[in-house]
Amino acid sequence: MKKRSLTFNTIIYGFRTIINFLFPLITFPYASRILSVDSMGKVNFSASIVSYFSLLAGLGIQTFAVREGAKIREDRKKTSEFASEIFTLNLITTLLAYALFLLMLACNEKWHEYTGIMLIISLTVPLTTIGMEWVFTIYEDFFYITVRSVIVQIASIIFLFLFVKTDKDLYLYAVYTVFSAVGANILNVFLVHKHVDIRLHISKKILPCMKPILILFASTAACQVYLYSDTTILGYLTSDADVAKYNAAVKVYNLVKNVLLVIGTVSMPRLAGLLSDENLDRYKGLFTKLFNVLILLIVPCVVGLIVVGKNAVVILAGARYVQAGTILQILSLAVPASILGSFVASAGLVLFGKEVLILKATIAAALLNIVLNIILIPSVGVEAAAITTVLSECLAFIIEYRGLQEKKIVSGIVKNMIQTGIASAVMGIVCYGVLSCFGSSLIVGTACSVAAGVVIYALLLRLQRNQIFDEMYAKMKTKIVRK
C-alpha cells in the first residue's frame, strides 16, 4: 500500500474539515434568518439529545478499530476479518442504542414537542455505523474522504436553498442537518470493498477486545457529556433562544477546533505504525514536532477569536445573536486545552494502552462541567456554559498531559511557546487596531483585521527564526519552485 506523506494527508484532510464546517457557516446565516431563534434552538436541543445515543451506538469502536487496524492493514485477509468483526459488533450496539432511544422518546414528556425533529436527526445513528469511516482512516484514504465530503456538502446546500424557505420548513432543515453531517457515509457502503471484504461475522476473538473498547467508550461518553451537557442543561434551565445563541458561538468554536484536530486524526495511523515497529525514538520525534506545530497554530487562533469573535458571530447569524459573540470569546480560551488534550489522548495515551487514564480525565471533566453548569447557569446565564467548558477542558488536559509525560514523550517546546506567544500578542494588537479603523464596516473591517493578523504573525515568526515555521516555510517554498 502506497503511503502518502503526513503533510499531504494533513492538508487534504484539513481541507475536508474546513469544507465540512465552512459550508454550514455559509448556510447558517441563511437558516438563522429564515428560521426563528426558537426553531433553531429546537434543532440544537434535539441534536444534543440524539448525540448521546450516537455515542452509545459507537461504543468507542472507531478509535479502537483505527489503532488496531493500522497494525495489520498490509494483510487484506486479516484486516477484512477484523473489520467484519468490528462492523458486526457496531451493528449490534446501534440496534440496541436505537431501541433505547425510541423507548425514552415515548416515555419522556419533555421530548414530546421535539418528537418529529428528534426522529429525523436520529437517522445519523445508523448512517454513522454503516459508513464505516474508520476503515478509510486505517488506510489513510483521506483524499477519497475529502472529495466525497465536498460533493455531499454541495448537494446539501442546494437542498437547503431549494426547500427551506420559511419557518414552517423546520423539519426540512432537520433533514438538511442530517444529510450534510452523515450523507457522505452512504457512498462509503459502496466503496469500502476497495480496502476490505465486509460480512456479518461474530467471533470469540472479539471478546478480549471488549475491555479496551469499553474503556474507550466510557472515555468518549464522559467527553461527550461535557461537550453536550451545556446544550442539554440550557434546554432544561433556560429557553430555546438561549440554546440557539450558545450553539451559534459553538459553531465558530468548533470550526477552529476541528480544523486543528486534523493533525491528530491523520497522524494517529502513522504513529501507531511506528510503535508497532518498536521505533520509539522516531515516534517521540514526530510526536514532539506535531505538538509544536499545534502550538504554532493554536495561540494565534485564540487571540484572533478574542479580537474578532463578536463580529464573526454577528456576520454569520445576524444582530439577534450578538450575545453569542461574548460566549465565543469565552469559549476561545478552551481551544488550547481542547486541541492539545485531544492530541495527547488519541496520538499518545491511546497508542500506549493508557485508556484508563483518559477515562479518569474525562470523568473528572464531565463531573466538573455538569456540577458547575447546574450551579452557575441559573444565576449567571448562558455565559456560564462557556465558562464551565473552559474549566473542564483544562482539567482534562492537565491530567492527560501529566500521564503522557511519565514516558518523557514531549520535549523542546518552551522556546516555541515563547515565540508564538510574542508573535500572537503583537498580532492581536494589530488586529484590534485595524478593526477599530473601520468602525461600523463590519465585514470589511473583520476581513482586513484577519488578513493583517496572518501577515504580521508570519513575519514575526520569521524574524524570531522560529524553527517549526521555518521548516514549514521551506517545504512550501520548495514545492512551489518545483511546480
Side-chain angles (χ1 to χ4, degrees):
M1 182 189 71
K2 182 182 178 182
K3 292 183 181 178
R4 297 185 185 272
S5 69
L6 272 180
T7 302
F8 176 85
N9 284 341
T10 301
I11 292 173
I12 198 69
Y13 199 71
F15 177 72
R16 178 255 188 183
T17 304
I18 292 172
I19 289 296
N20 278 356
F21 282 85
L22 186 59
F23 276 119
L25 286 176
I26 292 172
T27 57
F28 183 66
Y30 173 80
S32 63
R33 287 163 174 81
I34 293 295
L35 303 175
S36 66
V37 178
D38 285 340
S39 293
M40 293 293 288
K42 284 182 171 63
V43 174
N44 297 145
F45 178 72
S46 299
S48 75
I49 296 297
V50 171
S51 70
Y52 299 117
F53 297 95
S54 295
L55 173 67
L56 183 59
L59 201 68
I61 288 171
Q62 177 164 330
T63 303
F64 175 81
V66 172
R67 185 185 75 183
E68 299 303 317
K71 299 175 183 178
I72 58 173
R73 62 185 177 184
E74 302 297 339
D75 188 325
R76 184 182 178 97
K77 184 178 179 180
K78 286 184 179 180
T79 311
S80 295
E81 184 178 359
F82 171 75
S84 295
E85 292 169 355
I86 292 294
F87 174 67
T88 304
L89 175 63
N90 202 180
L91 200 59
I92 294 170
T93 58
T94 298
L95 292 172
L96 293 173
Y98 210 77
L100 180 61
F101 164 70
L102 293 175
L103 177 64
M104 292 190 68
L105 184 60
C107 297
N108 194 319
E109 290 186 10
K110 167 68 177 176
W111 296 1
H112 287 175
E113 64 175 302
Y114 305 94
T115 298
I117 302 172
M118 283 190 181
L119 285 173
I120 294 171
I121 294 179
S122 70
L123 293 174
T124 57
V125 178
L127 285 174
T128 299
T129 299
I130 66 172
M132 294 174 283
E133 187 94 344
W134 43 271
V135 171
F136 299 92
T137 304
I138 287 172
Y139 286 93
E140 300 183 37
D141 198 353
F142 299 113
F143 181 76
Y144 157 71
I145 293 174
T146 300
V147 172
R148 173 213 67 180
S149 296
V150 172
I151 293 171
V152 170
Q153 289 297 334
I154 292 173
S156 65
I157 286 180
I158 294 172
F159 175 89
L160 178 70
F161 289 149
L162 285 179
F163 298 107
V164 181
K165 300 287 188 180
T166 69
D167 193 46
K168 294 179 181 179
D169 298 324
L170 176 60
Y171 293 107
L172 289 173
Y173 179 71
V175 172
Y176 154 78
T177 302
V178 172
F179 185 66
S180 63
V182 294
N185 287 6
I186 297 171
L187 297 174
N188 291 0
V189 176
F190 301 101
L191 294 172
V192 72
H193 67 274
K194 170 185 174 184
H195 298 299
V196 293
D197 303 307
I198 294 290
R199 60 191 175 90
L200 294 179
H201 179 53
I202 299 176
S203 169
K204 291 182 179 180
K205 288 192 292 184
I206 200 66
L207 293 177
C209 302
M210 289 307 298
K211 182 179 178 180
I213 286 176
L214 289 174
I215 293 174
L216 286 170
F217 164 69
S219 301
T220 307
C223 181
Q224 194 91 339
V225 165
Y226 78 74
L227 286 177
Y228 286 96
S229 64
D230 298 340
T231 301
T232 305
I233 295 173
L234 281 171
Y236 278 99
L237 299 182
T238 61
S239 64
D240 288 332
D242 280 339
V243 172
K245 291 172 185 175
Y246 182 75
N247 277 273
V250 169
K251 281 184 182 292
V252 182
Y253 167 72
N254 280 340
L255 169 63
V256 175
K257 193 171 93 168
N258 283 279
V259 169
L260 294 172
L261 281 173
V262 165
I263 292 176
T265 302
V266 302
S267 63
M268 185 180 175
R270 192 70 53 90
L271 289 167
L274 290 175
L275 282 182
S276 67
D277 294 336
E278 298 183 352
N279 202 329
L280 187 58
D281 288 338
R282 283 186 63 193
Y283 170 86
K284 287 181 178 180
L286 179 58
F287 189 97
T288 298
K289 183 177 181 180
L290 294 172
F291 196 90
N292 271 314
V293 170
L294 283 172
I295 292 173
L296 197 75
L297 298 173
I298 288 170
V299 181
C301 285
V302 174
V303 174
L305 285 174
I306 292 172
V307 175
V308 303
K310 286 187 176 181
N311 284 18
V313 172
V314 173
I315 291 170
L316 289 168
R320 293 180 298 173
Y321 290 83
V322 66
Q323 187 181 4
T326 303
I327 299 170
L328 176 59
Q329 289 176 321
I330 298 171
L331 282 174
S332 68
L333 301 176
V335 171
S338 177
I339 302 304
L340 294 175
S342 295
F343 181 68
V344 165
S346 64
L349 297 175
V350 168
L351 300 185
F352 283 104
K354 302 186 75 170
E355 295 92 351
V356 174
L357 179 61
I358 301 174
L359 176 59
K360 291 178 180 177
T362 47
I363 288 177
L367 289 174
L368 177 66
N369 193 54
I370 292 172
V371 171
L372 290 181
N373 270 329
I374 294 172
I375 294 172
L376 296 178
I377 287 176
S379 57
V380 178
V382 65
E383 288 84 1
I387 295 170
T388 60
T389 296
V390 175
L391 296 175
S392 300
E393 294 281 17
C394 289
L395 177 61
F397 170 67
I398 290 170
I399 296 172
E400 290 167 346
Y401 184 75
R402 288 182 63 184
L404 183 68
Q405 279 303 83
E406 290 178 1
K407 294 186 175 292
K408 299 180 181 179
I409 301 298
V410 183
S411 60
I413 63 173
V414 176
K415 183 178 179 181
N416 183 44
M417 289 177 66
I418 293 172
Q419 290 178 336
T420 54
I422 293 171
S424 297
V426 176
M427 181 202 78
I429 296 171
V430 172
C431 287
Y432 182 78
V434 172
L435 203 62
S436 301
C437 291
F438 284 89
S440 59
S441 185
L442 204 64
I443 297 177
V444 176
T446 302
C448 291
S449 177
V450 171
V454 171
V455 173
I456 291 296
Y457 183 67
L459 286 175
L460 288 172
L461 289 178
R462 280 292 278 171
L463 289 173
Q464 294 180 94
R465 298 177 184 242
N466 182 277
Q467 183 180 352
I468 303 298
F469 180 81
D470 285 347
E471 287 181 10
M472 294 167 64
Y473 176 78
K475 187 174 290 188
M476 289 176 61
K477 187 177 179 181
T478 301
K479 288 187 176 182
I480 293 172
V481 170
R482 284 178 181 174
K483 290 180 180 179

